[in-house]
Every structure is written in structure tokens, then in C-alpha cells.
Amino acid sequence: THNGFAALTPGVTMTKAIEINQILGSRAIILASPPFESATRDEWMRMAGQLAAASTILQPHGLAAGFHNHNIEWAPYADGKRPMDLIAANTPPEFVLQLDVGTSVMAGADPVAWVKANPGRIRSVHLKDWAPGLDADNKGYRVLFGEGTTPWTPLIAALEATGGVEFYLMEQEGSRYSEFETARRCLATWQRMRGRR
């Protein structure tokens, strides 16, 4: 499930998040967004430490902690390290690095390299595509799954051989079709990619 920062901070909200996620049968409490708009390297490091602590607390409850990326986490500092690198390096191996593919591609990151650099940690993936030069209001996310610039074939191979993927979540931010037609077309593309009809 996607959660706010309070769900990964010891206290009443975390206790409630544990209870709700156990009722739902969820395996991971994923931080949906960082608790700040933009941050210094020290703030990212501090947050990574808090997420690592949450991971330790959640483990006995059969839950993992995790983080959902946006494009801001792929912007490198002067030394080339990105916030996603800091989060990965400062959280335990059981911490889930939920990959939002479209935002990583939009930010210029290489999702295949990211998966290979973090074996077993990419257990949940948002299958969102992106293409440059499209509707600026939607940052190119209006393309359907498989229509953008994402290298889906090598990415899916890496996710399944190295990443440890357990869940694929089809995500779409607007479309030129109705919601149901968008879902039908995206699912059909997924089935074709998987060799199914």
C-alpha cells in the first residue's frame, strides 16, 4: 500500500498502518512521497535512516518498508549520487525500492541498470510509460503502456532475473481513450509482451 511518512514513523499511525496492512494481506508499507518538496543530501540521508528503522520495526509483523520514486529522486548531486542511490545504500536489503518506471525514464535514469544494481529489492513496479514532446501538462505520461521510450523487454527481463519482482501495477496518468479502453489496450499490450493473447 502507498502511505504517508507517519505510517513509517513509530507511533499511533504506524501501529494503525500495521493493523490495516495485515488485514489487507499487504506485504509492504510503501512511502508514497518524501515528507518534503526538495531536500538536501543530509535530509535524504536522515529520511533513509528513518526508513531503515521502520524496516526493522515492521519485519516482526511480516511487513516490509519501501519507497516509491518520483523524478526528483533521480536528479544527481555534484558527485553523481542521486537520492535513490542514497536511499538504496542506507536501507537494509529487505527494504523495497518500488520502481515507478515512467518517472525514472522521464528523469533520464536507466531503469534496467537500476534494477541490476539493486538485486532482489525491486519487488513492486509501476508499469507507467513516458515519451518526450507530448502533452506538457502530463509530462508525456499520456502515452499508453508500450508506446513510450521505456526499454520494456530488457527491463522486464532484468526485473524477473535480478530485481525480485513480485507485483506489476499498471499505471496510467491520463489517456486519449476512455478509462476502460485505456485499461483494455494496456492489458492487451502487456499480454502481447508476455507472449499471451
Side-chain angles (χ1 to χ4, degrees):
T1 60
H2 273 196
N3 298 262
F5 195 63
L8 291 162
T9 305
V12 174
T13 304
M14 184 185 226
T15 301
K16 196 61 147 171
I18 291 169
E19 179 185 0
I20 290 169
N21 278 274
Q22 288 177 327
I23 290 168
L24 293 173
S26 175
R27 296 185 201 161
I29 296 178
I30 306 290
L31 179 59
S33 298
F36 37 72
E37 290 292 319
S38 61
T40 65
R41 184 188 195 103
D42 287 344
E43 287 172 307
W44 286 110
M45 291 292 290
R46 203 167 24 259
M47 187 189 78
Q50 291 170 304
L51 294 174
S55 186
T56 301
I57 294 167
L58 293 176
Q59 255 192 318
H61 299 282
L63 294 163
F67 184 80
H68 174 86
N69 69 263
H70 299 87
N71 57 332
I72 187 174
E73 289 90 21
W74 300 105
Y77 289 104
D79 65 358
K81 294 285 184 194
R82 306 165 295 191
M84 282 306 293
D85 299 319
L86 300 175
I87 293 167
N90 293 283
T91 51
E94 65 273 5
F95 186 84
V96 178
L97 300 168
Q98 185 181 69
L99 178 61
D100 183 323
V101 177
T103 59
S104 71
V105 171
M106 187 237 192
D110 179 346
V112 177
W114 173 250
V115 170
K116 290 179 178 179
N118 294 282
R121 299 190 67 188
I122 320 295
R123 297 196 302 266
S124 178
V125 179
H126 282 224
L127 299 173
K128 179 169 68 183
D129 216 334
W130 182 82
L134 297 177
D135 186 337
D137 292 337
N138 289 291
K139 305 180 195 97
Y141 296 131
R142 290 180 65 87
V143 295
L144 299 184
F145 172 72
E147 292 180 346
T149 59
T150 302
W152 289 113
T153 300
L155 177 57
I156 292 166
L159 285 163
E160 295 183 356
T162 310
V165 67
E166 296 174 9
F167 301 100
Y168 289 111
L169 304 152
M170 190 68 67
E171 181 180 1
Q172 186 69 39
E173 293 188 23
S175 168
R176 60 196 181 274
Y177 302 104
S178 71
E179 290 87 352
F180 285 112
E181 182 62 13
T182 295
R184 189 191 69 72
R185 288 172 179 263
C186 290
L187 182 57
T189 299
W190 173 254
Q191 290 171 328
R192 278 194 304 276
M193 282 185 184
R194 309 300 289 168
R196 301 180 193 125
R197 289 196 168 28

